[in-house]
Amino acid sequence: MYRCPFKEFRVRVPIIAGNWKMHKTASEARALVREIGHALPSSQVEAVVCPPFTALASAIEAAEGTLVRVGAQDLFWKSQGAYTGQVSPGMLTDLGVSHVIIGHSERRGRFGVPEPDFTSEILKLFGDTDASVRKKTHAALAAGIVPIVCCGETLSERRAGDTDSVVATQIREGLAGLDASHSATVVIAYEPVWAIGTGETCAADEADRVCGVIRAAFAELYGAAAGGAVRIQYGGSVKPDNAADILGRPNIDGALVGGASLKAADFLAILTAA
Ligand code: PGA
């Protein structure tokens, strides 16, 4: 990372990550990464795609020789053992995974769009909490994987006026106990749950304000310099037509993009906006 002569300031390289969620087979992923990789506008922006586990290997193979980096959508903090269905940090680094999304609201069982088949019983299966987010973040960093740690409030929390305290708690609890070098690596994604997959975007000013709250919470943990250096993405219905407005705000250093990351043209347009 570029360091300017004033120690307390660092250039925050924008980071745009595509969260593909449960989309794309291995062969579809290969084709999409090739398309993005060939057209990637510049090296001024970090470009990451996060396919499902089953498509990581083909995405990594297709990304070779391009500026595209490949991330996972989750990991488990144990290195190995009897944990059926889990994937360890070492399994990801062995493939060449460089980033991982941690604590996405969907993994925490907090969905923006109510679905009739998500009963409370089923929601319990999406089990991330601030405590598991912390363990996963530490495990990712120890393995040399950049964690993209998600936080954000639900609509009812926003309506109750609890937005700032919800995100500050998620940061305090989810990101506690990092050492200094690790605190410089972590990326935070502010994703208001009500704006994910709904077409509702948080107004750019408000997104910027909440990212400022997150920055302050991080600074409380690790000091002003770390607060000034940490990269914070906005996520929630980011599209080519609203990307420039959102990405132009002082506290927003990139985007975590869901739906619009599934088409090369849209994802590239957002990268260009950054
Ligand atoms: P969206 O998803 O861009 O489709 O709203 C963002 C996310 O969930 O990361």
Side-chain angles (χ1 to χ4, degrees):
M1 187 178 278
Y2 168 79
R3 284 166 195 276
C4 86
F6 306 100
K7 257 208 314 239
E8 66 272 31
F9 294 113
R10 250 182 276 175
V11 173
R12 302 198 301 258
V13 176
I15 174 167
I16 306 292
N19 176 10
W20 291 6
K21 309 192 179 184
M22 200 172 73
H23 295 281
K24 305 292 179 191
T25 62
S27 44
E28 289 165 348
R30 185 179 295 113
L32 181 53
V33 170
R34 275 202 190 123
E35 213 181 330
I36 295 167
H38 286 147
L40 202 59
S42 76
S43 57
Q44 308 296 307
V45 177
E46 205 172 326
V48 186
V49 296
C50 303
F53 288 126
T54 47
L56 285 170
S58 65
I60 287 165
E61 186 197 308
E64 236 180 77
T66 76
L67 295 167
V68 178
R69 296 288 164 269
V70 178
Q73 296 176 17
D74 192 21
L75 50 55
F76 194 55
W77 58 85
K78 295 284 189 178
S79 57
Q80 60 182 337
Y83 307 108
T84 303
Q86 301 293 348
V87 173
S88 75
M91 292 169 182
L92 296 177
T93 52
D94 184 59
L95 278 181
V97 165
S98 55
H99 295 68
V100 62
I101 299 169
I102 294 176
H104 189 280
S105 58
E106 288 157 12
R107 302 275 341 145
R108 296 179 191 243
R110 293 149 63 95
F111 292 85
V113 196
E115 296 244 1
D117 61 342
F118 289 155
T119 60
S120 54
E121 275 307 297
I122 288 174
L123 286 177
K124 278 188 216 144
L125 302 176
F126 296 84
D128 262 337
T129 61
D130 290 335
S132 68
V133 165
R134 186 167 66 241
K135 283 178 180 291
K136 289 177 178 187
T137 303
H138 282 252
L141 288 163
I145 304 175
V146 176
I148 299 174
V149 180
C150 302
C151 63
E153 81 289 358
T154 61
L155 189 56
S156 57
E157 287 164 346
R158 172 161 285 267
R159 286 188 176 142
D162 293 338
T163 297
D164 295 9
S165 63
V166 166
V167 296
T169 303
Q170 287 171 338
I171 296 303
R172 259 197 309 273
E173 311 265 310
L175 290 178
L178 303 179
D179 68 31
S181 67
H182 284 166
S183 73
T185 306
V186 71
V187 175
I188 299 171
Y190 168 52
E191 297 209 310
V193 180
W194 49 272
I196 294 176
T198 58
E200 289 285 329
T201 327
C202 184
D205 281 343
E206 174 61 7
D208 186 54
R209 188 194 69 77
V210 181
C211 288
V213 171
I214 290 167
R215 199 173 290 291
F218 195 80
E220 250 175 59
L221 287 173
Y222 300 111
V230 69
R231 291 183 294 171
I232 305 177
Q233 300 173 310
Y234 168 79
S237 299
V238 175
K239 310 280 178 221
D241 57 357
N242 60 20
D245 186 26
I246 292 164
L247 295 168
R249 307 292 156 148
N251 273 310
I252 301 179
D253 308 309
L256 183 54
V257 185
S261 69
L262 297 172
K263 281 196 193 137
D266 288 355
F267 191 59
L268 287 162
I270 294 168
L271 282 162
T272 305

